[in-house]
Amino acid sequence: MASDHEQPGLSSLGKTSGEIGSEHEPLINGTHISESYSASAAILPFLFPALGGLLYGYDIGSTSCATISIESATLSGISWYDLSSVAIGLITSGSLYGALIGSVLAFNIADFLGRRRELITSAIMYLVGALVTAFSPNFAVMVIGRFAYGIGIGLAMHSAPMYIAETAPSQIRGLLISLKEFFIVLGMVAGYGIGSLLVETVAGWRYMYGASTPLAVIMGIGMWWLPASPRWLLLRAIQGKGNMQELKETAIRCLCRLRGQSIGESASEQVDEILTELSYVGEEKEVTLGEMFRGKCLKAMIIGVGLVLFQQITGQPSVLYYAASIFQSAGFSAASDATRVSILLGLLKLIMTGVAVVVVDRLGRRPLLLGGVSGMVISLFLLGSYYLFLDDVPAIAVVALLLYVGCYQLSFGPIGWLMISEVFPLRLRGRGLSIAVLVNFGANALVTFAFSPLKAWLGAGIVFYVFGVIAI
């Protein structure tokens, strides 16, 4: 896989970043040569793509409050507030199904559009979806708005990790991609907070959804201003999809903007080295769908798709589903107010994600994954035991819940997205990430849908035990 650091020559490539079998940590690294970059110049190429994650998190938080508002006869401000459980489910999960559509679209258009234009398209879909939802005159239009917003989520979750990975200096790449997960959680906390402030306002759900539009505009303008990924431009060049010299000159200009004045006169040399690396690992060949399921590409697919699959099927949506009832059984005064409980959990997620961001490049991806998932196993078995044997000791459930949330944010939360942006070779990265994002949202929808019938059939305790076994 292509990385962003310099390669001094073919003899030093060894197991280059195009090979998944490299023993280096992280998988992307073939050598550890420092790049010259300006810290101020590196901020905006991260910040604007990361707003796509923040808007995704905001949707999760605000929707939990918006459904309370929209079902209220006195506060909804509409005549069609008396919605069925299926209708509420469509509102809640509408953006999730839209994200599935966005993932499918990304598979076909991402490599053509490029990372930057895909993020601009995502910002437009965020804006359109938020406005349609906020001003919807009836239920059908509202669902259309939720789907449109979800398409923006799917495109953003696909393109943001790629853009950040391909433009960030190698020394801080892990930190920045992990920080994108921090922005998702920050968005959730913001959604819970704004939602709790507006939940008692007449037609407050319209303001909750409309509040995301300024950020969508900022994201779109910011991505319009930012340069294209130099690596994507050079990939197009060696695949014969444009004039080599023109694309090379454009890549040099983009690299200068991304690194700032500190890059000096070395931009042209770095572009030549990237071209040499891409040619060395065979990036000039057009990717085929069958190739993604063979050899090293298959190994990358198993790693990337496996991580995002286990993000969901180890029970993360279900554990959070039980948060309010667990706090209530423990006698916390805030438990009667689901929005306050959500803010508390959101703040914990934010803190633990911040810890992961700080230590991910120092400790490495694999140790954090092993440690975090081990903690999740313990917490899931504690939760299962609470619902089967220990229901008179609610403190155990509270500790287990907090342990689960903390360990998830140390491991699967940020590192899953970081790893899938690293393990795929550059020419496979667009399609590889689209498949991974599709699996992630598909598994999320499946777990969310299946939890209630499984709980009715087996009981909550057994279901948490099953999640624990999967985590092992």
Side-chain angles (χ1 to χ4, degrees):
M1 176 192 60
S3 61
D4 286 31
H5 48 270
E6 296 104 53
Q7 304 286 0
L10 295 183
S11 61
S12 67
L13 282 169
K15 275 190 175 182
T16 180
S17 53
E19 298 196 30
I20 305 304
S22 174
E23 62 186 7
H24 293 292
E25 182 80 46
L27 293 174
I28 192 168
N29 287 344
T31 58
H32 294 270
I33 299 174
S34 296
E35 294 178 65
S36 297
Y37 68 93
S38 164
S40 58
I43 292 174
L44 294 181
F46 157 77
L47 180 61
F48 291 123
L51 288 179
L54 191 145
L55 286 165
Y56 171 37
Y58 179 82
D59 182 69
I60 296 172
S62 61
T63 297
S64 67
C65 303
T67 51
I68 298 173
S69 171
I70 203 168
E71 288 185 283
S72 170
T74 56
L75 296 174
S76 63
I78 53 176
S79 59
W80 40 279
Y81 65 87
D82 189 17
L83 298 170
S84 67
S85 59
V86 174
I88 291 297
L90 274 174
I91 293 173
T92 304
S93 61
S95 61
L96 185 62
Y97 295 115
L100 288 171
I101 297 171
S103 303
V104 173
L105 289 174
F107 185 86
N108 295 305
I109 67 172
D111 286 334
F112 168 73
L113 284 179
R115 294 42 163 148
R116 171 178 165 270
R117 284 186 290 185
E118 187 180 353
L119 281 163
I120 293 172
T121 305
S122 169
I124 293 171
M125 295 309 298
Y126 273 138
L127 179 62
V128 170
L131 289 175
V132 170
T133 304
F135 291 101
S136 54
N138 54 55
F139 171 74
V141 174
M142 185 177 189
V143 171
I144 292 172
R146 299 290 294 137
F147 269 68
Y149 195 96
I151 292 173
I153 293 174
L155 294 176
M157 291 301 96
H158 172 259
S159 51
M162 285 196 296
Y163 187 87
I164 296 170
E166 292 174 13
T167 59
S170 57
Q171 302 97 304
I172 59 172
R173 181 188 297 113
L175 183 148
L176 291 181
I177 299 176
S178 301
L179 200 58
K180 185 187 72 69
E181 172 72 16
F182 183 87
F183 268 61
I184 294 176
V185 181
L186 183 64
M188 290 173 60
V189 174
Y192 292 138
I194 292 175
S196 64
L197 291 174
L198 295 173
V199 74
E200 299 294 331
T201 304
V202 176
W205 61 272
R206 295 189 185 274
Y207 301 109
M208 293 178 205
Y209 286 122
S212 64
T213 55
L215 282 178
V217 172
I218 293 171
M219 176 186 170
I221 294 174
M223 290 311 306
W224 185 271
W225 175 80
L226 284 175
S229 161
R231 288 188 169 272
W232 177 77
L233 290 169
L234 296 174
L235 178 67
R236 303 285 288 180
I238 65 171
Q239 290 181 344
K241 296 178 179 177
N243 181 277
M244 169 65 79
Q245 189 58 36
E246 290 180 1
L247 288 172
K248 184 177 174 181
E249 291 173 358
T250 304
I252 292 171
R253 290 195 298 271
C254 292
L255 192 60
C256 289
R257 287 185 61 190
L258 290 166
R259 296 291 182 267
Q261 293 181 349
S262 61
I263 196 171
E265 302 298 321
S266 65
S268 179
E269 180 184 346
Q270 288 188 33
V271 164
D272 287 335
E273 288 169 350
I274 294 171
L275 277 171
T276 300
E277 180 188 351
L278 295 180
S279 299
Y280 181 80
V281 297
E283 301 282 13
E284 72 278 359
K285 294 178 289 186
E286 185 73 31
V287 62
T288 62
L289 182 59
E291 186 182 356
M292 302 190 69
F293 298 94
R294 295 197 301 267
K296 295 168 188 172
C297 299
L298 175 61
K299 189 171 184 179
M301 186 68 67
I302 292 171
I303 293 169
V305 170
L307 282 170
V308 295
L309 175 66
F310 281 112
Q311 269 190 343
Q312 305 303 324
I313 64 174
T314 47
Q316 197 245 168
S318 304
V319 171
L320 295 182
Y321 177 83
Y322 263 84
S325 64
I326 288 173
F327 275 94
Q328 192 168 20
S329 67
F332 284 86
S333 59
S336 59
D337 187 344
T339 60
R340 293 180 188 174
V341 174
S342 299
I343 292 173
L344 175 64
L345 279 179
L347 288 173
L348 174 64
K349 286 167 72 72
L350 198 63
I351 293 169
M352 297 309 293
T353 306
V355 173
V357 166
V358 171
V359 303
V360 64
D361 281 326
R362 184 165 64 249
L363 297 182
R365 284 73 164 145
R366 190 166 176 267
L368 282 177
L369 281 170
L370 287 171
V373 176
S374 298
M376 288 167 59
V377 170
I378 295 170
S379 63
L380 286 165
F381 278 100
L382 283 175
L383 278 173
S385 299
Y386 168 73
Y387 281 101
L388 288 175
F389 319 115
L390 305 171
D391 54 343
D392 58 338
V393 192
I396 289 179
V398 174
V399 170
L401 174 67
L402 298 178
L403 177 65
Y404 183 95
V405 170
C407 289
Y408 177 88
Q409 292 308 134
L410 273 176
S411 54
F412 277 139
I415 297 175
W417 293 108
L418 170 59
M419 290 284 283
I420 63 173
S421 69
E422 291 183 333
V423 297
F424 291 106
L426 179 59
R427 66 194 179 92
L428 299 176
R429 193 177 294 160
R431 292 194 168 184
L433 257 79
S434 64
I435 292 174
V437 171
L438 180 64
V439 169
N440 180 267
F441 285 117
N444 190 331
L446 180 63
V447 171
T448 303
F449 173 79
F451 181 74
S452 291
L454 283 175
K455 175 192 150 211
W457 179 37
L458 300 173
I462 297 298
V463 173
F464 284 129
Y465 276 164
V466 171
F467 286 142
V469 171
I470 294 173
I472 291 174

